[in-house]
Amino acid sequence: MAEVKNFRDYSRNFRDADAPDEETGASFSREPSYQEKIRNHRLIVFYRTIFLLIAAVAIIAFIYVNWHNKVYSESRVLSSTSLTGMSGVTVLPLGQNIIRYSKDGINCMSADGRALWNMTYDMQAPVVRICGETVAVGDYNGNTIYVANSQGTLGSFGTNLPIRDFCVSSQGVVAVILDDDDITRIKLFDTSGKELAAIKATMANSGYPTSMSLSPNAELLAVCYLKESGGSILTGVTFFNFGAVGQNETDNMVSSFKYEDTIIPYDVFLDSSTNMAVSDKSIVFYKGEDVPNDPVVNEIGETEIMSVYNNEDYAGIICAGTAEEGAYKLTVYNTSGKNILEKYFDLDYTDMFFSDDQFVVYNDKHWQLYGIDGTLRFEGEFDESIKAIIPGPSRNRFTIVTADSIDQIELR
């Protein structure tokens, strides 16, 4: 058994083990205790884990940025499905599906060519309105509107007055402008034809409605009225709320804005809380889920607007460009109304669409894919005349519709 003759001296020596020797100046270090070893090991594991996490995040971020900003050099056909009955039809995207319509009817197909639904009618001038994956088709000056979505037909209803214009929500609620001689009536219907709300407009009072739009959830309705005031024209943008907030307001009107010497022929909800009105002088964005307000105005000067495109994230305005910079000028806005891109291009386009953080400009023979930062990601040509390009399930896959086929392509 070990013997400790003088415990006090032993204890003092143990405590002072790290102190330098008074005669030699040397110092002596004791071995770390078991608890200290555990603590040091845990610190090493902790710092090593943090380092590995930072490295993993950096690698993932690097891969994502390169994938997100990838520039493609070729396209590959993944599958092709033959098509018939394409004569005299107009092709539009419905989500990732395809609709074809003419004076005789409208039908919907999946991207691989499967028939999803079909509706027949007899119209002189069919008009199609789309919100998300819901579509409504009616005849200008007619009396019937048909409603469907990607899953199938939702219903149809008739009106006792001629249809001048209409819009649809993602739920299938339809707002219709009806002509009643000196009075213009705006009515909201569900897919069964039940009248949900009605608004009356006269030239002497509010003016004539030039444009309107429903929010995706059908709670808000925006109407642009044009009237004469003191020898000049005046446009009013009025918002109606058919939810709980609007029940406490006269005629459900929750906000209104007036613009002198201005015509607003186009109005659209980008999402349930963002409305965009496009005039001959400016692009105006209104924000608010219950009461659209705080307009953000982007002046366009004397430039003539040629086309307007949008999805739930972006709005694109195409105007004439210049000989030096490009034939066309695209200005892109986000949902806050901020100008985030001005891009000149020369492609003689027939259509455009936004998808993810990209946009496609195309005609019947050529197409260009850009990042939202304006970087050209891909440019290609088609052997056959195309009717539509539709975004696919990933950012590098697209559906190409021609007169003879539906082609699934992948960019590489």
Side-chain angles (χ1 to χ4, degrees):
M1 183 177 72
E3 181 179 2
V4 180
K5 296 183 177 179
N6 191 330
F7 184 83
R8 181 182 301 171
D9 293 339
Y10 177 84
S11 177
R12 182 171 58 250
N13 290 337
F14 184 83
R15 287 196 304 269
D16 297 337
D18 291 335
D21 183 83
E22 292 181 357
E23 295 183 358
T24 66
S27 61
F28 303 92
S29 297
R30 65 179 176 83
E31 288 291 322
S33 68
Y34 179 71
Q35 289 80 4
E36 289 174 323
K37 289 181 178 180
I38 292 177
R39 184 189 64 182
N40 292 336
H41 176 72
R42 287 176 176 174
L43 285 174
I44 292 172
V45 171
F46 173 76
Y47 288 124
R48 184 182 298 163
T49 302
I50 294 297
F51 173 78
L52 292 175
L53 285 174
I54 292 174
V57 169
I59 293 171
I60 293 171
F62 177 79
I63 294 173
Y64 173 79
V65 168
N66 280 271
W67 169 77
H68 194 265
N69 298 324
K70 183 176 176 59
V71 175
Y72 306 98
S73 59
E74 62 177 345
S75 63
R76 181 169 68 101
V77 177
L78 301 177
S79 65
S80 185
T81 305
S82 298
L83 275 182
T84 59
M86 295 294 288
S87 177
V89 303
T90 300
V91 178
L92 293 174
L94 188 66
Q96 294 181 13
N97 297 313
I98 304 160
I99 57 173
R100 302 181 296 176
Y101 74 94
S102 66
K103 294 181 178 181
D104 302 318
I106 183 171
N107 61 68
C108 182
M109 300 180 297
S110 64
D112 58 5
R114 292 181 294 108
L116 300 178
W117 51 262
N118 178 70
M119 292 190 293
T120 59
Y121 51 67
D122 183 14
M123 296 185 184
Q124 295 301 310
V127 177
V128 168
R129 298 286 185 257
I130 295 174
C131 180
E133 296 191 12
T134 302
V135 58
V137 56
D139 199 6
Y140 180 78
N141 270 343
N143 299 96
T144 307
I145 291 178
Y146 300 81
V147 187
N149 61 20
S150 294
Q151 285 70 49
T153 59
L154 299 177
S156 64
F157 61 90
T159 64
N160 57 359
L161 294 170
I163 297 169
R164 291 289 185 259
D165 198 3
F166 61 93
C167 56
V168 66
S169 73
S170 59
Q171 301 172 330
V173 174
V174 180
V176 189
I177 297 177
L178 302 170
D179 188 9
D180 191 7
D181 294 329
D182 295 334
I183 300 174
T184 302
R185 301 187 185 277
I186 301 174
K187 295 188 177 183
L188 273 65
F189 299 92
D190 65 13
T191 54
S192 67
K194 178 183 177 182
E195 184 177 312
L196 304 176
I199 302 167
K200 183 174 70 172
T202 63
M203 284 299 297
N205 185 14
S206 56
Y208 183 80
T210 58
S211 178
M212 69 173 181
S213 62
L214 268 173
S215 62
N217 60 9
E219 190 164 298
L220 291 172
L221 173 69
V223 183
C224 302
Y225 297 97
L226 179 66
K227 66 180 298 186
E228 184 181 3
S229 176
S232 62
I233 59 173
L234 175 72
T235 291
V237 180
T238 302
F239 292 94
F240 302 88
N241 184 307
F242 299 104
V245 172
Q247 302 302 315
N248 301 321
E249 305 295 335
T250 303
D251 297 328
N252 296 91
M253 187 180 76
V254 290
S255 60
S256 185
F257 307 87
K258 295 181 180 180
Y259 304 94
E260 295 182 353
D261 299 321
T262 300
I263 299 174
I264 301 179
Y266 185 78
D267 186 277
V268 65
F269 276 91
L270 304 184
D271 55 40
S272 293
S273 62
T274 307
N275 180 270
M276 178 181 72
V278 181
S279 78
D280 55 341
K281 295 182 177 181
S282 62
I283 317 298
V284 186
F285 293 83
Y286 308 90
K287 298 291 289 187
E289 289 190 13
D290 298 318
V291 182
N293 227 318
D294 300 324
V296 176
V297 181
N298 292 271
E299 303 289 346
I300 62 171
E302 300 299 323
T303 305
E304 181 182 359
I305 294 176
M306 304 177 68
S307 307
V308 180
Y309 300 96
N310 69 271
N311 68 353
E312 67 275 9
D313 297 313
Y314 304 105
I317 310 297
I318 297 180
C319 302
T322 64
E324 297 79 16
E325 297 182 281
Y328 305 100
K329 177 185 177 182
L330 168 68
T331 304
V332 179
Y333 301 90
N334 61 18
T335 56
S336 297
K338 182 181 179 181
N339 179 340
I340 61 171
L341 174 68
E342 290 185 353
K343 178 69 179 179
Y344 288 87
F345 63 95
D346 289 309
L347 181 66
D348 191 15
Y349 73 100
T350 57
D351 205 354
M352 171 192 166
F353 63 85
F354 291 96
S355 177
D356 294 323
D357 288 333
Q358 306 179 127
F359 61 89
V360 170
V361 182
Y362 68 95
N363 58 29
D364 63 337
K365 287 294 186 180
H366 300 82
W367 67 307
Q368 296 174 338
L369 171 67
Y370 291 90
I372 203 64
D373 61 353
T375 302
L376 181 63
R377 303 271 176 80
F378 182 78
E379 186 171 16
E381 297 184 7
F382 301 102
D383 296 330
E384 297 183 63
S385 178
I386 66 165
K387 289 183 171 290
I389 302 177
I390 298 170
S394 61
R395 59 191 294 108
N396 66 326
R397 292 181 61 180
F398 297 87
T399 301
I400 310 297
V401 184
T402 73
D404 303 313
S405 66
I406 302 176
D407 301 326
Q408 303 285 331
I409 69 167
E410 180 182 67
L411 301 183
R412 309 180 72 179

